[in-house]
Amino acid sequence: MPVSPGLAYTGQPNLWLDPRAKLALFIVVNIVGLAAPFSGPGAVVRIAATALVAVLLAGEQAWWMAASAVAATACGMAGYAWLQPTGWTLVASGLINLLARFWPVIAMGCYVLSTTTVSEFIAALRRMRVPTAFTIPFAVVMRFLPTLAQESAGISEALRSRGLRLGVARPGAWLEYRLVPLAMRAVAIGDELTAAALTRGLDRDTERTSLARVGFGELDWAVVAAAVAVFIAWLAARLITP
Amino acid sequence: MIELANVSFRYGSSVVPDAARPDPANPSVDGAAGLAGDSPGLGPLVLDHVSLAVGAGEVVVLCGASGCGKTTVTRLVNGLIGTGRQGVREGAVRVDGLDPGVEPTARIARHAGSVFQDPRTQFFTTDVASELAFGCENFALPPAEIRRRVSGVTEDWELEGILGRSVFALSGGQKQRVICAAVDAMDTRALVLDEPSANLDAPATAQLADLIRRWQEQGKAILIAEHRLAYLAPLADRFIRLEAGRVTHRLTATRLRALGPAKLADLGLRPVDGEATEPDIAPAARLAAPADAPGCQDADPEDAGCQGAGGRDAGLGGIELRNVSYWRPHRAGRKYGRQVIGIGQLDLRQGQIAALTGPNGAGKTTLLRLIAGVAPGGRGEMRVNGQLWRRRRRLLGVALVGQDVNQQLFADTVRGELTLANRRLSDLEVDAILGSFGLADLGSRHPLALSAGERQRLAIAAAFAQDRPVVALDEPTSGLDLGHMRQVAAGIRQLGAAGRTVLVATHDQELVAACAERVITLQDGLLTS
């Protein structure tokens, strides 16, 4: 199934991975993507991390996302090598740098959210002994955000259809027509989701079982090993770089 | 199994003094003392000495106008309203012997399953398979048992095809089916349904009726709050009509039917016979049915014909669609997206009111969004009054009243909503529009403080105020009672009378009968009539 640039689960992935393996890789991609340099030994680590992200995305046939993550990294390196940070190129190289750092991380985030169900997340967090007081609100947020995004899209559409244009010039109007209705809907959605969860027997204090599949296979160990290797390489690159 | 004995209820706030709270565990407080007068910090009396009992294998339907207290009853039963800050209850409520006012809601959930109206906010997880298992997981059933139940309901509800799907990729009707299946999997002894059919098309409603019958045969106690009565008439044991929190009628289906359509309408109830189960109706044959449909009398039966029939009107105004198609944006791994809309020719006379019907997921909403210019990516031509309207022009020339009116009201007063829609309106014109949509007394209220029916009418009034030649409405009456439905129908007829060409996407056959001059049926994005 495709990976969408949105925040929600999009369907059964081609390649199933344990959520914990995905989280481990996500953390390493975050560190390397944001912190590793674009030249020297650190750049090799950056290329390795981007390649991992691209391979996972390509495995889900998310060609555009995979290609854009690779392209962003390549642009970042090219920009670092050829753009002199003076005058207007300073702004350009700054923007390219920012995009090149963040885009692979965002792509990885989309991959994790698009391929993991809420139940898998909850089950994985429980295995990691994370308390219910954290996992349940976390699950609610995972359900709430895409719903709120849908609401927001609906409100935009209604605004456009009504011919209400909200420029940057009118922050008051933006607040009144955009944010207030969205906030009202957010409250209502929160109430309704809570009601749905309670009447389906969700309770903080009771034990629950789970059908969600969690468990490490060879592939998961391989992903974790790759993540750890990239992380160690990043540490090593930092040490040997003057 | 479900029992209410002399239950009165007021919604309250946290400021209610402890002394005013009856102790639900102590039956000696039952009686009239606490709730008789107006207590400080409490809202009006929502339920007034309501008693009812639903035994095993019984189906009891709560009906009555919006705001009559139906939903409050269902929430008292499934425990969503406790007795603390949320309000003050008198009288006893028992579900399987437990008091939902005292027990935690999650414990009541093991005895009473609940289905609500809005399918978008009933999912806790983001994929179908997890949602089916969610309730059972909360009951801490062994995984093998959960798997057995999930595969059982998957088969019963024909969900094999969508089991792995994301919730966000389902249509409204599919979502409601998944919710029903998930509640089915929880296998509770009692069930509480609050307007479960509001978002369902005719086949899905029939499926819901089948499920209710199956639950009935399994000996479950079923309490349903509902406006659409036709699909319940063959299986309900009793209909209980509430008005302003009081029980006014207790009738069997036979006696309810015996009242006749006129008497039913007097009671604010939707028809009991037929309509919901008929897949297609000839609009011309129905036009005479509702007594309060004056706008329909001038309908020309010939216009009830299908595509091409309006061809002779070309050039006289109205809408002409030619070769309109829309492909869902293609996704990774597939070269082409799915075709959602494919319409060769569709003409609507100026001032004509056309109902757009068809099953859930047929492309009705997509077609309206294309016509209104909010959806990018459509192909083909649309002419209005002979002029070619491209997407930007349609955005300015077509008023769209979308499915969820809560997303479409932006001003802080009802009057403001109309002036926001059209700044050139004078005070007198605003008054006139408010009056004609039955909102005259509500001018200074906040739009979101209105009832569902009033909000819907306000959204239509705003579309009217916008003064655009074409108006597109998407499911304007889902979840509305008979009175509100008729007001909306009257509003739509006003639009037509003012020369606006109106296209209404709806499942509501009663709305079709009350306002449409022509019915257009869409199936898999193609016109079938």
Side-chain angles (χ1 to χ4, degrees):
Chain A
M1 277 300 284
V3 174
S4 84
L7 295 164
Y9 176 74
T10 49
Q12 280 165 338
N14 297 331
L15 194 73
W16 188 88
L17 288 175
D18 187 282
R20 287 164 292 179
K22 290 188 235 183
L23 279 179
L25 185 60
F26 179 65
I27 291 166
V28 170
V29 168
N30 256 289
I31 294 170
V32 173
L34 299 182
F38 285 97
S39 68
V44 180
V45 180
R46 176 176 283 282
I47 291 171
T50 308
L52 278 175
V53 175
V55 165
L56 286 177
L57 285 166
E60 301 307 319
Q61 286 159 323
W63 308 117
W64 187 85
M65 296 273 280
S68 64
V70 173
T73 304
C75 281
M77 290 180 179
Y80 185 84
W82 291 318
L83 283 182
Q84 298 301 318
T86 52
W88 68 270
T89 50
L90 180 69
V91 182
S93 69
L95 281 176
I96 290 173
N97 192 294
L98 212 61
L99 192 73
R101 281 180 195 275
F102 274 100
W103 190 249
V105 176
I106 292 171
M108 184 65 199
C110 290
Y111 168 78
V112 174
L113 288 174
S114 299
T115 55
T116 316
T117 71
V118 173
S119 300
E120 283 170 359
F121 261 125
I122 297 180
L125 290 173
R126 281 172 59 91
R127 289 277 182 93
M128 291 158 75
R129 309 243 184 288
V130 177
T132 329
F134 176 80
T135 54
I136 298 298
F138 176 79
V140 173
V141 169
M142 276 191 71
R143 180 65 186 75
F144 182 78
L145 285 180
T147 312
L148 200 65
Q150 279 187 332
E151 287 292 325
S152 180
I155 291 172
S156 304
E157 201 172 290
L159 280 170
R160 258 190 304 150
S161 174
R162 286 278 289 271
L164 296 168
R165 300 205 169 273
L166 310 177
V168 221
R170 298 169 60 205
W174 189 80
L175 198 73
E176 186 178 352
Y177 302 140
R178 194 66 222 273
L179 228 48
V180 171
L182 190 62
M184 303 282 263
R185 285 305 293 156
V187 173
I189 292 167
D191 275 352
E192 287 166 27
L193 286 178
T194 309
L198 285 174
T199 56
R200 306 275 290 288
L202 186 67
D203 197 347
R204 203 180 30 192
D205 305 325
T206 50
E207 267 305 300
R208 62 192 298 273
T209 49
S210 178
L211 271 199
R213 170 180 162 190
V214 279
F216 268 61
E218 285 160 21
L219 204 59
D220 303 295
W221 287 118
V223 168
V224 171
V228 170
V230 169
F231 182 69
I232 291 171
W234 174 72
L235 281 180
R238 272 178 69 101
L239 288 177
I240 59 171
T241 312
Chain B
M1 206 97 69
I2 299 173
E3 276 172 74
L4 274 76
N6 260 325
V7 172
S8 301
F9 187 80
R10 285 174 195 274
Y11 284 96
S13 57
S14 49
V15 296
V16 181
D18 272 319
R21 284 188 197 141
D23 179 2
N26 178 1
S28 71
V29 196
D30 288 0
L35 289 178
D38 278 326
S39 323
L42 289 176
L45 202 59
V46 188
L47 295 180
D48 190 359
H49 294 89
V50 172
S51 299
L52 61 89
V54 189
E58 279 188 325
V59 176
V60 173
V61 179
L62 288 167
C63 49
S66 297
C68 69
K70 297 191 298 292
T71 297
T72 306
V73 172
T74 62
R75 295 186 153 236
L76 282 173
V77 171
N78 62 22
L80 283 178
I81 311 175
T83 44
R85 275 173 309 207
Q86 291 142 311
V88 178
R89 187 191 89 196
E90 264 179 17
V93 179
R94 291 286 178 274
V95 176
D96 231 356
L98 300 170
D99 183 346
V102 182
E103 303 286 340
T105 310
R107 188 166 147 73
I108 295 300
R110 290 167 179 255
H111 300 267
S114 304
V115 176
F116 304 99
Q117 182 187 339
D118 188 348
R120 289 174 309 169
T121 50
Q122 288 181 66
F123 280 83
F124 187 77
T125 64
T126 48
D127 66 297
V128 174
S130 308
E131 192 62 27
L132 294 178
F134 178 70
C136 302
E137 290 175 342
N138 291 332
F139 294 172
L141 295 174
E145 168 68 9
I146 302 179
R147 257 183 221 108
R148 195 186 61 75
R149 289 193 188 184
V150 168
S151 63
V153 297
T154 304
E155 204 168 298
D156 287 349
W157 283 83
E158 294 160 19
L159 299 172
E160 290 88 352
I162 57 171
L163 205 55
R165 287 242 207 124
S166 159
V167 169
F168 300 99
L170 302 180
S171 78
Q174 286 174 324
K175 283 183 196 170
Q176 197 68 323
R177 257 168 67 202
V178 173
I179 294 292
C180 289
V183 171
D184 198 11
M186 287 160 66
D187 196 21
T188 52
R189 294 178 66 197
L191 290 145
V192 183
L193 317 181
D194 190 3
E195 293 185 38
S197 77
N199 288 285
L200 299 182
D201 59 8
T205 307
Q207 214 170 10
L208 176 67
D210 283 345
L211 171 81
I212 294 171
R213 182 170 291 117
R214 192 171 346 128
W215 278 340
Q216 194 178 15
E217 283 160 7
Q218 289 168 2
K220 297 177 194 278
I222 305 161
L223 180 66
I224 309 173
E226 185 61 283
H227 290 307
R228 288 161 76 174
L229 304 180
Y231 80 99
L232 292 170
L235 43 92
D237 292 284
R238 274 193 304 289
F239 288 84
I240 296 180
R241 177 180 176 270
L242 292 174
E243 184 176 320
R246 281 172 201 262
V247 176
T248 59
H249 293 73
R250 291 171 196 272
L251 300 164
T252 60
T254 332
R255 282 178 52 209
L256 188 75
R257 221 183 247 121
L259 291 177
K263 177 72 177 151
L264 275 177
D266 278 350
L267 292 173
L269 300 180
R270 287 186 172 225
V272 181
D273 283 312
E275 266 139 344
T277 52
E278 283 175 36
D280 268 315
I281 59 161
R286 295 252 169 217
L287 287 177
D292 70 333
C296 293
Q297 284 159 6
D298 56 0
D300 178 357
E302 283 175 44
D303 275 325
C306 52
Q307 74 188 83
R312 64 194 161 81
D313 293 328
L316 293 178
I319 311 178
E320 300 160 54
L321 296 179
R322 292 290 178 275
N323 302 320
V324 171
S325 64
Y326 178 80
W327 274 266
R328 183 144 291 159
H330 76 96
R331 291 206 159 167
R334 265 180 250 156
K335 193 160 185 193
Y336 300 104
R338 189 167 65 86
Q339 182 171 15
V340 184
I341 297 289
I343 291 175
Q345 177 180 6
L346 176 66
D347 295 311
L348 297 176
R349 186 164 48 73
Q350 187 187 355
Q352 192 171 43
I353 299 171
L356 185 61
T357 63
N360 288 118
K364 299 188 295 292
T365 298
T366 308
L367 180 59
L368 291 190
R369 292 177 70 241
L370 279 178
I371 288 176
V374 292
R379 295 179 199 172
E381 278 186 5
M382 172 165 149
R383 288 175 190 276
V384 175
N385 300 334
Q387 278 181 311
L388 179 65
W389 279 21
R390 294 188 193 286
R391 188 174 151 231
R392 300 237 168 251
R393 181 68 187 84
R394 298 204 296 274
L395 207 47
L396 299 173
V398 181
L400 175 68
V401 180
Q403 227 164 50
D404 188 348
V405 285
N406 297 318
Q407 297 172 350
Q408 297 164 59
L409 300 173
F410 302 106
D412 51 5
T413 63
V414 168
R415 293 187 72 89
E417 200 61 53
L418 294 189
T419 48
L420 186 68
N422 185 347
R423 291 178 203 284
R424 290 188 300 275
L425 288 180
S426 69
D427 278 359
L428 276 176
E429 285 168 321
V430 170
D431 285 336
I433 296 174
L434 287 179
S436 64
F437 283 89
L439 298 164
D441 305 331
L442 305 170
S444 56
R445 295 269 292 277
H446 194 288
L448 296 180
L450 302 177
S451 76
E454 289 161 352
R455 275 198 298 261
Q456 192 62 255
R457 272 181 290 148
L458 177 59
I460 297 174
F464 184 87
Q466 274 175 299
D467 211 9
R468 296 175 172 189
V470 181
V471 182
L473 302 108
D474 197 356
E475 297 289 355
T477 54
S478 71
L480 297 190
D481 63 21
L482 181 79
H484 287 141
M485 186 276 281
R486 287 193 167 168
Q487 285 169 346
V488 168
I492 292 173
R493 290 199 303 268
Q494 290 248 351
L495 292 170
R500 318 286 172 76
T501 312
V502 185
L503 198 54
V504 194
T506 186
H507 293 308
D508 189 339
Q509 294 301 336
E510 291 142 33
L511 175 73
V512 173
C515 75
E517 297 164 5
R518 174 175 171 190
V519 177
I520 299 163
T521 311
L522 208 57
Q523 184 114 37
D524 295 329
L526 308 172
L527 289 181
T528 53
S529 73

